[in-house]
């Protein structure tokens, strides 16, 4: 799960108990950010402008999921 959504800066990730790659895409599909994390963890979105983004999580087991997130100031 992801929370809070909408978020101002830190997005908390829970429910995945393995390493994962987090990709964040703009609304037009451009890759803006990629990070490898050990979950649970938090992602700092403070460098992004306000808007809607697509967050894709891919675990080391190849399991993937996508979430729409709203970044606000």
């Amino acid at each position: 799960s992801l929370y809070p959504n909408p978020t101002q800066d830190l997005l908390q990730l829970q429910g995945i108990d393995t390493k994962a790659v987090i990709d964040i895409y703009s609304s037009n599909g451009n890759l803006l950010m990629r990070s490898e994390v050990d979950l649970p963890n938090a992602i700092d979105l403070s460098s992004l402008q306000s808007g809607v983004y697509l967050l894709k999580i891919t675990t080391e087991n190849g399991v993937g999921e996508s979430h729409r997130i709203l970044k606000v100031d």
Side-chain angles (χ1 to χ4, degrees):
S1 69
L2 306 172
Y3 67 92
N5 190 11
T7 187
Q8 289 184 328
D9 49 15
L10 289 180
L11 186 66
Q12 302 291 326
L13 305 171
Q14 287 189 332
I16 301 171
D17 57 359
T18 184
K19 290 183 181 180
V21 174
I22 308 297
D23 293 325
I24 298 179
Y25 295 89
S26 66
S27 58
N28 60 5
N30 292 326
L31 179 63
L32 302 176
M33 185 184 303
R34 170 173 277 187
S35 62
E36 294 183 27
V37 296
D38 288 321
L39 299 174
N41 208 328
I43 299 175
D44 184 2
L45 302 178
S46 61
S47 64
L48 298 177
Q49 295 181 353
S50 294
V52 177
Y53 298 91
L54 179 66
L55 182 142
K56 290 188 177 181
I57 302 170
T58 306
T59 68
E60 63 185 356
N61 301 331
V63 176
E65 59 183 70
S66 299
H67 300 272
R68 191 176 324 188
I69 54 174
L70 177 60
K71 167 70 167 63
V72 295
D73 286 334

